[in-house]
Amino acid sequence: VIFLLIGAAFIFESRKISSSSYGSNVGPDIFPIGLGILLILLSIRLLFETTKYVGEAEKNSKPDYKRFLLILGAAILYVLLLDTIGYVITTFLFLLFAFRVMKTGGWIKMILIAAAFSFGVFYVFVEVLQGSLPGFPL
């Protein structure tokens, strides 16, 4: 329900963005409207799917606070070190740590996925889209 409301807020607030000054049909409000519509549709689907599983939830399941706090601490450290050691290294180390905490796969698989994601996003964002991310440390 919260994501449904956030999607509606996206659409409502993006209508306040001015349209393109060159007479184009595609203005700066199209992307937020699209995201709002997508969020609303996914929220509605999630609402329907969760009604099927109401009785099947485990009654004795407890939240895993240890894993949550470890990943939260790693995310805070990630933000603090991003400018210092750069996007690629920081993202690689964060993903490697998060994969290890969640115990997903073996070391080689975790290293390959973390490296591919870190370098891939950096390359696409910096080289293809001409954006800027903190590079490698000097």
Side-chain angles (χ1 to χ4, degrees), residues 36-110:
I37 292 170
L38 183 65
L39 194 56
I40 288 174
L41 292 174
L42 290 174
S43 300
I44 291 170
R45 179 174 180 217
L46 184 62
L47 283 172
F48 284 122
E49 285 184 10
T50 53
T51 57
K52 297 177 187 176
Y53 304 111
V54 172
E56 298 178 20
E58 292 184 35
K59 296 177 184 174
N60 295 331
S61 66
K62 294 186 289 185
D64 193 354
Y65 292 114
K66 181 181 176 184
R67 286 185 184 176
F68 172 74
L69 291 174
L70 283 171
I71 292 181
L72 178 65
I76 292 170
L77 192 61
Y78 174 80
V79 170
L80 295 175
L81 294 176
L82 188 62
D83 285 334
T84 308
I85 61 176
Y87 173 82
V88 174
I89 296 171
T90 311
T91 304
F92 173 77
L93 293 174
F94 173 75
L95 288 175
L96 199 60
F97 180 78
F99 289 155
R100 188 66 202 139
V101 168
M102 299 309 289
K103 298 176 183 158
T104 56
W107 279 101
I108 294 174
K109 183 180 176 183
M110 290 188 300

